């Protein structure tokens, strides 16, 4: 595809192993593929291998040129590695290698397995440095002659010209020998055509890399260039894309950089100059995206030497001809892919594409490429597997093809705005032939709506000149851009509403299916209490200790208590004791009071003895008097200590009984040196007064954290990790590795699902000087620099550890765990109260977390059903978030008091993570709601599912209540509405002043004779009378409004007072009310 290899090429895709290289040949692959080679050779000797008695293959010296040779492909296929400057000769019972000393040492390992399993001898000849190897060549040629009949038929790759002194000498001697030479290219091509399981995996990884680079690098870059109208050359785009291939992390792909390479330098073409041949190159011309422009992009990636390819065409303000041609090409390309079925001939694949063009656009038939692609694998183009009208080879399952189809040199319409009249189109994908249908590996969208970009012109507005055309002097005028062929500019809020509406539909369907499949209902939310074992003080009378008189005895060994009752010592297990206390009276007497657990009393733990002895009489309390205060205190203290120890042990036993049995940690031992992070603290922390740091090690199947104390360690197995987080210290004082687990484990006698390892990046220092230090104080500057350097070093150490563990988790044995260290996205964080105190909660790609302070907060996004944002309203400073889980038996998780300034960011984040959210103005009783849903799921589904939470629907039903919900209290509304009525009353009074002059004068005289206190009392009395007697429509409405105001959240007693005050004003004389 190109003449020169990029500088990033590397082993094993490149040259031979050098000194110190630890590469080893996969003997299993070598044996199976060597066996396949000999079987294919014997089976198809006459038709594909030219009836060759021996096969002679010579690989040229290493080169920086990017090229695909059959000889190099054979060594890669057999050994997983290129062996340049090497001669290989295969006879019926022996394989001869002539190569350098380094490569010979690598090949030594194949001798024994080849003899044991294949009954084939392997002879390795070492060519000394500076020699031409003629002596060893003669020995190999003699071995060929001694193989049997004369003349010997020797197969070789005729199309490969000899390079280097070794190959030139070998070719000359081979020709001069009395051999009949035949070409074996066809045999090797057919041998490589069907891929085994390992090859399929390599091709899939290569295709995934090519697809990811196109999706995550190429398309965003093109959109950015077009949006911002930048000047970018084809070659610079090529360089950017090539870097993304050889550094997969740039494309968000987790493949080792040493295993990947380019198939060819990425191709970018536009501006009317197009070449659809695989050998095309990106020139230094600027990318053209004027109206009616075409941009062709092609990306090829390799993984472990196996190739893949993807190509797309992007249309800018496409003309009708361009749009039609692309649609026809898309149909033809899909027809060719669908025709790739085992048992069919390759020419039928091309014919399927051609038939579409003949039917849809006959005038474009002569512009269609003469080939629809080739086979692909170790070689980018596998000879003999060209998809054209003449190739009648039969398709087989597990073949891989690069299906590449295009139109070449089409011409735009005469009236087109394009300055380049000629254009081409190209589509290419990597496909695996399967029995059940073709498997498309490069699934980049190629539909018209995803590859067409349109620039709208608004001729009515003042036109702003765009950048000058790259190749002509005239200017194009474009006012705004709509990507992805959008017909109008849509606001972000509208797009979010549309997406949320679609999510609501999907969520209701998903919930209906889940509820229909879960007939268990809500069930009992409480787990069944585990009964304790029977509490027996002594199983045998011989176990009772010898009495030391009639006094209380504490038997530590048997965890029992001997109490003197009626002249005998009666044993009681310490587990039956509820409380024990010591009291004193004024007569120097001490009273030991012991209260027992008795069935039926509050807070008594459930015991199996209760069920067994339901008719028994229980001792509830016993008291003892003593004159010895010291002895009394010692006895009480001993009982309390023993009771505390037994309770702690029983609690731990009950906790451990619920733990899930896990596999045993496999220590690294001498196999490899485990990854290690030192001087870490753990949460939950170990018991003990003095804390000591420990070391975290990554072993074969999990982590182990241990301290210097013997037996103090915690094992966290990979299989038990649900989520792993790495949080560097940015605005926090600690750097954290946090593991959220599937099942609980015990850490220092505590049952937990969250285990955290952290380091404090800076020490808390308090200045004792009392004065403020200058910002330019050298000591202060040095201290800040040391703290910054320490923080950076700790963050780098943690990051390196996490990256190495990520690499381990990418191994096949851990692929099913789907583990990766996730990093919180601080820019999306918000403050809230998940427990009792405010915390900074941060989203990650898969969770919502707060792992800086305890108790930890970790919520898996995949477990969330919906999110309801509560107390959302105009004028509110805070709102709450209710998280409803898919498992309706789990309690709803609340995050309270989130600042309203975070509302838009949270809604945007929820929408981008495809989580349906609703908004409400009140807090809801979710326990009752979920119980109603699980009790009658059918009604829930029939009534629209979660749409009862839709704020728009509830507002439309509430009618005139919309106006009363704008952040005020009902009592204030009442005053405002009344004042408007009073103003209108006052106005009517002014207008009728002439008519009612006498009445007005009487009122004024009456008002002048009354003080404000008298008026207030009169108004109060009038309120009382009206409340008891008046039943007008207006009064009833006002009473309802007052009742509604009391029921709204946030309404306090002050609201009631304001309502009372407004009633007093309502019954005052109108004119006085106005002035007041």
């Amino acid at each position: 595809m190109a003449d020169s290899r990029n500088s990033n090429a590397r082993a094993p895709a490149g040259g031979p192993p050098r000194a110190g290289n630890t590469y080893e040949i996969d003997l299993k692959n070598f044996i199976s593929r060597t066996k396949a080679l000999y079987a294919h050779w014997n089976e198809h000797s006459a038709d594909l291998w030219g009836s060759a008695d021996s096969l002679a293959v010579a690989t040229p010296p290493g080169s920086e040129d990017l090229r695909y040779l059959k000889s190099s492909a054979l060594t890669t296929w057999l050994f997983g590695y290129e062996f340049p400057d090497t001669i290989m000769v295969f006879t019926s019972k022996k394989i001869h290698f002539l190569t350098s000393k380094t490569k010979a040492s690598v090949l030594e390992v194949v001798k024994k397995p080849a003899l044991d399993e294949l009954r084939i001898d392997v002879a390795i000849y070492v060519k000394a440095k500076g020699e031409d190897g003629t002596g060893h060549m003669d020995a190999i040629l003699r071995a060929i002659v001694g193989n049997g009949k004369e003349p010997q038929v020797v197969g070789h790759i005729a199309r490969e010209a000899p390079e280097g002194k070794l190959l030139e000498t070998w070719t000359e001697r081979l020709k001069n020998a009395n051999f009949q030479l035949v070409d074996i290219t066809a045999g090797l091509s057919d041998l490589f055509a069907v891929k085994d399981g390992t090859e399929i995996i390599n091709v899939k990884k290569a295709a995934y890399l090519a697809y990811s680079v196109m999706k995550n690098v190429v398309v965003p870059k093109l959109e950015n260039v077009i949006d911002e109208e930048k000047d970018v050359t084809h070659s610079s785009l090529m360089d950017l894309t090539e870097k993304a291939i050889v550094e997969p992390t740039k494309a968000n792909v987790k493949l080792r950089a040493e295993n990947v390479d380019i198939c060819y330098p990425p191709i970018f073409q536009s501006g009317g100059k197009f070449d659809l041949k695989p050998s095309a190159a990106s020139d230094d011309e600027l990318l053209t995206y004027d109206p009616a422009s075409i941009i062709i992009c092609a990306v090829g990636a390799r993984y472990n030497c196996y190739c893949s390819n993807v190509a797309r065409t992007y249309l800018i303000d496409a003309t009708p001809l361009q749009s039609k041609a692309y649609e026809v090409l898309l149909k033809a390309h899909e027809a060719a892919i669908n025709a790739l079925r085992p048992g069919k001939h390759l020419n039928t694949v091309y014919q399927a594409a051609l038939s579409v063009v003949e039917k849809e656009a006959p005038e474009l038939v002569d512009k269609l490429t003469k080939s629809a692609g080739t086979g692909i694998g170790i070689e980018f183009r596998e000879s003999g597997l060209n998809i054209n009208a003449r190739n009648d080879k039969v398709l087989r399952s597990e073949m891989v093809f690069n299906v590449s189809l295009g139109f070449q040199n089409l011409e735009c319409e005469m009236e087109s705005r394009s300055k380049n009249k000629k254009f081409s189109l190209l589509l290419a994908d990597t496909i695996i032939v399967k029995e059940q249908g073709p498997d498309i590996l490069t699934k980049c969208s190629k539909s018209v709506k995803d590859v067409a970009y349109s620039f709208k012109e608004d001729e009515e507005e003042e036109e702003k000149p765009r950048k000058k055309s790259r190749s002509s002097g005239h200017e194009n005028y474009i006012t705004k851009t709509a990507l992805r062929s959008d017909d109008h500019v849509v606001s972000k809020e509208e797009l979010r509403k549309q997406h949320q509406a679609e999510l609501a539909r999907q969520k209701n369907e998903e919930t209906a299916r889940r509820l229909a499949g879960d007939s268990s209902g809500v069930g009992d939310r409480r787990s069944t209490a585990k009964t304790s074992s029977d509490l027996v003080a002594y199983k045998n009378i011989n176990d009772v200790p010898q009495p030391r008189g009639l006094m209380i005895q504490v038997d530590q060994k048997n965890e029992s208590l001997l109490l003197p009752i009626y002249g005998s010592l009666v044993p009681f297990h310490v587990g039956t004791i509820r409380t024990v206390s010591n009291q004193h009276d004024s007569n120097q007497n001490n009273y030991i009071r012991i209260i027992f657990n008795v069935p039926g009393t509050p807070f008594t733990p459930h015991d199996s003895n209760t069920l067994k002895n339901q008719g028994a009489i229980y001792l509830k309390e016993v008291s003892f008097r003593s004159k010895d205060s010291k002895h009394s205190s010692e006895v009480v203290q001993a009982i309390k200590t023993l009771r505390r120890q037994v309770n702690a042990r029983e609690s731990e036993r009950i906790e451990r009984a619920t733990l899930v049995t896990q596999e045993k940690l496999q220590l690294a031992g001498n196999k490899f040196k485990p990854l290690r992070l030192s001087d870490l603290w753990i949460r939950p922390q170990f018991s003990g007064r003095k804390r000591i740091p420990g070391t975290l090690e990554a072993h074969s199947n999990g982590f182990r954290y241990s301290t210097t104390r013997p037996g103090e360690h915690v094992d966290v197995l990979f299989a038990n990790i649900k989520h792993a987080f790495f949080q560097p210290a940015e605005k926090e004082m600690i750097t954290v590795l946090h593991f959220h687990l599937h099942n609980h484990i015990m850490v220092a006698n505590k049952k937990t699902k969250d285990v955290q390892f952290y380091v404090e990046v800076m020490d808390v220092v308090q200045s004792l000087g009392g004065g403020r230090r200058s910002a330019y104080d050298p000591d202060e500057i040095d201290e800040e620099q040391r703290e910054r350097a320490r923080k950076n070093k700790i963050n780098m150490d943690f990051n390196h550890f996490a990256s190495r563990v990520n690499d381990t988790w990418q191994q096949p044995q851990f692929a099913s765990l789907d583990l990766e260290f996730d990093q919180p996205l601080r820019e999306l964080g918000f403050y809230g109260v998940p427990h009792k105190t405010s915390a900074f909660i941060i989203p990650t790609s898969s969770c919502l977390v707060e792992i800086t302070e305890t108790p930890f907060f970790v919520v898996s996004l995949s477990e969330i059903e919906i999110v309801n944002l509560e107390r959302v309203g105009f004028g509110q400073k805070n709102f709450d978030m209710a998280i409803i889980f898919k498992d309706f038996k789990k309690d709803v998780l609340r995050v309270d008091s989130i600042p309203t300034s975070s509302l838009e960011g949270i809604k945007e984040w929820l929408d981008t993570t495809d989580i349906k959210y609703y908004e409400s103005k009140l807090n809801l009783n979710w326990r009752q709601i979920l119980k109603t849903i699980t009790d009658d799921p059918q009604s829930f589904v029939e009534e629209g599912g979660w749409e009862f939470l839709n704020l728009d629907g509830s507002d439309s039903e509430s009618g005139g209540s919309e106006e009363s919900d704008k952040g005020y209290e009902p009592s204030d509304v009442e005053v405002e509405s009344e004042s408007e009525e009073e103003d209108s009353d006052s106005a009517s009074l002014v207008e009728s002043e002439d008519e009612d002059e006498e009445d007005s004068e009487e009122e004024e005289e009456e008002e002048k004779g009354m003080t404000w206190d008298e008026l207030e009392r009169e108004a109060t009395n009038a309120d009382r009378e009206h409340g008891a007697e008046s039943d007008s429509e207006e009064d009833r409405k006002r009473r309802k409004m007052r009742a509604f105001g009391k029921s709204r959240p946030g309404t306090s007693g002050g609201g009631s007072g304001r309502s009372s005050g407004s009633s007093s004003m309502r019954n005052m004389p109108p004119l006085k009310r106005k002035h007041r």
Side-chain angles (χ1 to χ4, degrees), residues 418-438:
S418 174
K419 62 182 182 299
N420 301 301
K421 295 301 179 183
K422 289 192 176 183
F423 68 92
S424 298
L425 305 173
L426 178 66
L427 290 174
D429 281 303
T430 305
I431 312 294
I432 300 177
V433 179
K434 297 279 190 180
E435 292 289 345
Q436 61 272 26

Side-chain angles (χ1 to χ4, degrees), residues 471-486:
S471 58
S472 63
H474 63 274
E475 297 178 350
N476 295 297
Y477 298 94
I478 294 174
T479 56
K480 60 184 178 181
T481 304
L483 295 183
R484 302 293 186 202
S485 299
D486 289 337

Side-chain angles (χ1 to χ4, degrees), residues 486-505:
D486 289 337
D487 294 327
H488 62 282
V489 177
V490 183
S491 70
K492 184 181 291 186
E493 182 65 23
E494 289 175 351
L495 289 173
R496 193 163 66 202
K497 285 184 177 180
Q498 294 172 8
H499 187 223
Q500 283 293 306
E502 177 62 20
L503 286 178
R505 183 188 63 79

Side-chain angles (χ1 to χ4, degrees), residues 1025-1040:
E1025 293 172 2
H1026 279 286
E1029 299 173 3
S1030 173
D1031 197 24
S1032 66
E1033 184 67 19
E1034 181 180 357
D1035 290 337
R1036 284 197 299 271
K1037 288 182 178 178
R1038 287 172 178 169
R1039 283 199 296 275
K1040 285 183 179 180

Side-chain angles (χ1 to χ4, degrees), residues 40-83:
H40 194 276
W41 180 13
N42 293 330
E43 183 179 354
H44 303 281
S45 176
D47 54 337
L48 296 175
W49 297 91
S51 300
D53 301 309
S54 304
L55 309 179
V57 179
T59 58
S63 171
E64 290 301 314
D65 291 344
L66 184 60
R67 55 188 180 177
Y68 298 97
L69 302 173
K70 274 283 185 291
S71 55
S72 298
L74 178 61
T75 61
T76 303
W77 186 72
L78 285 175
F79 309 114
Y81 206 87
E82 286 186 13
F83 278 78

Side-chain angles (χ1 to χ4, degrees), residues 227-493:
D227 270 346
E228 301 184 11
E229 301 181 6
K230 295 179 180 179
D231 287 337
V232 179
T233 63
H234 299 139
S235 57
S236 64
L237 290 171
M238 175 195 72
D239 293 337
L240 174 73
T241 308
E242 185 173 320
K243 288 179 181 177
I245 296 174
V246 298
E247 298 178 38
T249 53
K250 293 182 181 294
N252 299 326
V253 177
K254 297 167 187 174
L255 294 175
R256 291 180 179 273
E258 60 266 24
N259 293 337
V260 302
D261 200 357
I262 59 171
C263 289
Y264 55 87
I267 298 173
F268 290 85
Q269 300 180 73
S270 67
K273 298 179 181 178
F274 298 99
D275 183 1
L276 303 187
K277 295 178 182 178
S279 57
S282 302
D283 56 29
D284 293 327
E285 296 294 327
L286 290 174
L287 183 73
T288 301
Y289 44 86
D290 297 314
S293 292
I294 298 294
I295 302 174
I296 292 179
C297 311
V299 176
R302 290 205 294 174
Y303 181 82
N304 282 345
C305 301
Y306 283 82
C307 300
S308 66
N309 188 48
V310 60
R312 293 291 181 265
T313 298
Y314 296 97
L315 294 75
I316 312 298
D317 260 350
T319 65
L321 174 62
Q322 291 173 336
S323 297
K324 179 183 177 182
Y326 183 83
E327 291 173 359
V328 173
L329 178 64
L330 180 59
K331 291 181 180 179
H333 190 251
E334 290 176 347
I337 292 174
N338 291 328
L340 289 170
R341 307 276 177 166
K344 288 192 174 184
H345 295 274
L346 279 174
N347 51 14
T348 63
V349 177
Y350 184 80
Q351 187 59 45
L354 182 62
S355 298
V356 171
V357 180
E358 290 174 340
K359 179 182 177 182
E360 301 285 340
E363 68 278 9
L364 301 180
V365 170
D366 60 332
K367 304 296 183 182
L368 187 68
T369 52
K370 303 306 178 186
S371 169
T374 62
I376 192 170
I378 298 175
E379 298 175 281
F380 184 77
R381 288 177 290 175
E382 293 185 334
S383 58
L385 295 178
N386 197 3
I387 304 175
N388 55 36
R390 299 182 303 275
N391 195 342
D392 60 353
K393 285 201 172 181
V394 178
L395 289 165
R396 287 171 284 170
S397 183
E398 305 304 320
M399 283 184 167
V400 182
F401 286 91
N402 166 32
V403 180
S404 177
L405 198 66
F407 287 128
Q408 180 83 48
N409 294 329
L410 297 175
E411 292 190 4
C412 294
E413 303 93 324
M414 295 299 295
E415 64 276 10
S416 170
R417 296 167 291 170
S418 174
K419 62 182 182 299
N420 301 301
K421 295 301 179 183
K422 289 192 176 183
F423 68 92
S424 298
L425 305 173
L426 178 66
L427 290 174
D429 281 303
T430 305
I431 312 294
I432 300 177
V433 179
K434 297 279 190 180
E435 292 289 345
Q436 61 272 26
D439 184 5
I440 304 174
L441 302 184
T442 48
K443 297 181 180 179
C444 302
S445 179
K446 50 190 174 184
S447 62
V448 176
K449 67 182 182 64
D450 289 332
V451 300
Y453 293 70
S454 66
F455 292 91
K456 289 198 164 187
E457 297 182 356
D458 191 351
E459 298 177 357
E460 296 178 1
E461 297 180 2
E462 182 181 357
E463 294 182 333
K464 295 182 180 181
R466 193 184 175 195
K467 291 185 178 182
K468 289 188 176 181
S469 177
R470 307 298 197 278
S471 58
S472 63
H474 63 274
E475 297 178 350
N476 295 297
Y477 298 94
I478 294 174
T479 56
K480 60 184 178 181
T481 304
L483 295 183
R484 302 293 186 202
S485 299
D486 289 337
D487 294 327
H488 62 282
V489 177
V490 183
S491 70
K492 184 181 291 186
E493 182 65 23

